[in-house]
Each structure stands twice: as C-alpha cells, then as structure tokens.
Amino acid sequence: TITATSAADSTRSATASVTLSPSGGGPTGTATFVALDTASQGNWQSVYGSQGYNVVNDAVAYPGYVTVTPSGTSSYAWAAPTTDVRALSDAPPGTSRIAATWYTNTSFSINLAFNDTLQHQVAIYCLDWDTTTRAETVDILDATNVVLATQNVTNFHNGQYLVWQLSGNVTIRVTNNYAGANAVISGLFFQ
C-alpha cells in the first residue's frame, strides 16, 4: 500500500494498493548438477542419449519433450572418421567415430525449452581434441538469465561428460576462459 501526502497541503493525501509478482510467475527452469564422467569417453550409446542426442556434425535425434535452439556456434570436424576412443561413436547404425565440435572464441548458448514439468537428465560432452590447454565455463541459466548452476571445465583432452537434471526453459552457456583457444562441446545427450 502506498500513501502520498501533499507537501504544500498536508490535508490532501491519496492511497493506492499494488500487488507485485515476479515476471512469468516464478522460476522458469531448474538445474541440478549430477555428475562429471571422465571414464566413458566417446562411448555414449550405452550410457547417455537413450531418449535423444546431437552428435555434432554426425546426427541429430532430439526427444519430443524438448525444443533445442543453439546460437552463436560454428561447427568443425577435427577427425572423421577416426578410431580414437575420445571421439564420439557415430549415431546408430554408424560403426565409426567422429571428433567434431560446436565452437566459438567467446561464448555460445543452447536453449532447451522442455514442454513438460518433468526433470530430464542432460549430458554434454566436452573434448579438447587438439590441445591440452582449453578452459571453459558451462553455466545453466533460466529464461531470465539467472545462473542456476556453473561448472568449470579444464583438463578435458581425454573427454568428459557434464551431467545435469534440467526442467523448464533453460540455456546452456559455454564460455571460453583461455586466450587463443575456443569454447567447445562435441555432443548433447538426453536420458
């Protein structure tokens, strides 16, 4: 309730009531970090992606419960085909491997708009294929750009999965932290 009184005439005043609520009625997404997997390397098919995936520069099969919108990315294939176990296995029915990436020298984002109220396991595969010096930050933001979770990624020359439980409308932001390198991810997986 707001009350205003005239400085010139203290007998004159007005009162009004206002109800405030957050834009959109509250949080627009949730994010809980679940695991850092440094053991699986490119062998995602038996571990991640049973409901959908994007193996960069190979195949995309997103689940029906999410709309995925990457922005600010370019793609590049380091090696295709390859037998190096750090490279992601090709999507079925492929029998080879691909080392490819979305990249930028600053930051890029991937918006995930889930159309249900459930939490879904989402994993991204980070691979520093051609160096050992990359460093990046992966943030999960809600639709109002509030940071829900953050992971710093270093020493990922052998590949690592970052795994979250996500819901609502969230954005994965990948930011380069090392001058002379790029922010990179090689795959996105839904379980």
Side-chain angles (χ1 to χ4, degrees), residues 30-115:
T30 65
T32 304
F33 186 71
V34 175
L36 171 65
D37 175 358
T38 59
S40 297
Q41 293 188 304
N43 302 316
W44 61 273
Q45 291 182 33
S46 60
V47 184
Y48 304 108
S50 67
Q51 295 178 355
Y53 52 84
N54 184 332
V55 176
V56 174
N57 277 9
D58 179 50
V60 177
Y62 291 132
Y65 56 73
V66 66
T67 300
V68 180
T69 309
S71 61
T73 66
S74 297
S75 63
Y76 182 76
W78 286 301
T82 182
T83 57
D84 191 315
V85 296
R86 298 175 303 144
L88 288 170
S89 298
D90 288 340
T95 57
S96 187
R97 292 178 178 270
I98 183 170
T101 188
W102 280 335
Y103 74 93
T104 184
N105 62 354
T106 54
S107 69
F108 63 88
S109 61
I110 307 157
N111 180 257
L112 305 176
F114 295 96
N115 59 27

Side-chain angles (χ1 to χ4, degrees), residues 77-158:
W78 286 301
T82 182
T83 57
D84 191 315
V85 296
R86 298 175 303 144
L88 288 170
S89 298
D90 288 340
T95 57
S96 187
R97 292 178 178 270
I98 183 170
T101 188
W102 280 335
Y103 74 93
T104 184
N105 62 354
T106 54
S107 69
F108 63 88
S109 61
I110 307 157
N111 180 257
L112 305 176
F114 295 96
N115 59 27
D116 59 20
T117 59
L118 303 175
Q119 287 204 338
H120 297 278
Q121 181 178 291
V122 178
I124 65 168
Y125 187 58
C126 300
L127 175 61
D128 185 359
W129 178 262
D130 56 351
T131 79
T132 58
T133 57
R134 280 190 173 93
E136 57 193 34
T137 300
V138 179
D139 296 309
I140 309 296
L141 311 170
D142 76 0
T144 63
N145 290 323
V146 172
V147 176
L148 302 173
T150 297
Q151 290 296 312
N152 291 311
V153 185
T154 58
N155 301 316
F156 58 107
H157 184 66
N158 289 322

